[in-house]
Amino acid sequence: MTTIRASHDRDELAALLGRDPHLHAYELGDLDDFYWPYTTWYRYGEQVALLYHGGGEPTLLALDHSPEDLAELLTAVVPLLPRTFYAHLSPGGEAVLAEHFTTRAYGPHLKMALTDPGRLDRVAPAGELLTTADLPEMTALYRAAYPGNWFDERMVQTGQYVGIRRDGELLAVAGVHVWSPVYKVSALGNVTTHPAARGQGLATSAVAALCRRLLDTVRWVTLNVRADNTAAIALYRRLGFTPVAEYGEFRFDPTPA
């Protein structure tokens, strides 16, 4: 009989997740020493669920192309989940958890992967590497251009954030949520342009520069994007990204008595 169990074996987890690195880029990256202390892993047969604690509110990642396998995994993991958490779930997973929690949906999302890196050569890269010294400017830019964005300042320590300045003002940034040279994966994140500078290709140039840099150390470059963000999807397609999976983002809270 299959039972849910905690897993602490990175090699075991990497083998399971590595069967689909595009779908599981975030989880593979979180096996890295930089992220590992903030993770709790559960295995149910061949399926893996990750509870990530590094962003404040716990975030559950449970992704599988098989709705039946995903339902079995989530049903098994329910007793081990916190009272309140955020989640990234393959389609249908929310229905399983909705039986036990109050659900708030944040819309359908796409996972995209850089499948045609040759297209990067069509875009002139631009930008300079950002460091923790640039955090005040970055925070101000996100506040103005990307309100509500989840930005973990610790990620800047990866050295994988690129910014474009004009007349000394930071106008565009492209960074990562995950970067692991060990597991050869990365996930772009925190990409934005100041409202006064949009439509000028700054984000495209910053992402192009970052992707070229990432390809020096990883094999898979991925990202998550809202399915209705047509402008961002067009930008990423222009750079060689294609959709590889659908998923949803949700918040789960205790069901009122």
Side-chain angles (χ1 to χ4, degrees), residues 3-198:
T3 58
I4 193 81
R5 64 178 178 85
S7 179
H8 309 284
D9 186 332
R10 278 192 264 196
D11 291 338
E12 172 188 272
L13 293 166
L16 292 169
L17 298 167
R19 294 175 302 180
D20 192 340
H22 287 156
L23 180 65
H24 297 298
Y26 271 74
E27 299 101 301
L28 282 166
D30 287 338
L31 295 172
D32 193 278
D33 286 346
F34 189 78
Y35 312 92
W36 178 257
Y38 304 96
T39 61
T40 302
W41 300 86
Y42 299 105
R43 178 177 176 181
Y44 184 80
E46 299 297 293
Q47 281 68 52
V48 174
L50 162 63
L51 198 60
Y52 183 74
H53 309 274
E57 186 173 60
T59 299
L60 172 70
L61 278 70
L63 303 164
D64 199 292
H65 290 298
S66 166
E68 294 79 11
D69 289 344
L70 178 64
E72 291 181 0
L73 170 65
L74 289 172
T75 299
V77 83
V78 161
L80 304 174
L81 295 174
R83 287 172 53 83
T84 296
F85 59 96
Y86 201 81
H88 293 190
L89 304 172
S90 291
E94 70 279 7
V96 177
L97 296 183
E99 297 180 10
H100 307 275
F101 301 90
T102 299
T103 307
R104 182 184 303 173
Y106 291 94
H109 288 65
L110 297 176
K111 288 186 173 289
M112 302 185 74
L114 183 58
T115 57
D116 187 4
R119 290 197 177 190
L120 294 173
D121 294 335
R122 304 177 185 179
V123 177
E128 61 189 78
L129 287 182
L130 301 176
T131 71
T132 54
D134 300 301
L135 280 172
E137 288 180 276
M138 296 173 68
T139 301
L141 175 59
Y142 289 131
R143 189 181 302 117
Y146 203 172
N149 173 51
W150 178 73
F151 174 48
D152 182 353
E153 295 183 356
R154 201 174 71 96
M155 293 302 105
V156 180
Q157 298 175 25
T158 63
Q160 304 301 324
Y161 272 72
V162 172
I164 297 178
R165 284 189 172 87
R166 183 179 293 162
D167 298 325
E169 181 182 2
L170 186 64
L171 295 179
V173 171
V176 295
H177 285 155
V178 164
W179 172 65
S180 173
V182 174
Y183 295 97
K184 302 300 180 185
V185 295
S186 62
L188 304 187
N190 302 129
V191 178
T192 196
T193 303
H194 193 282
R198 288 177 181 160

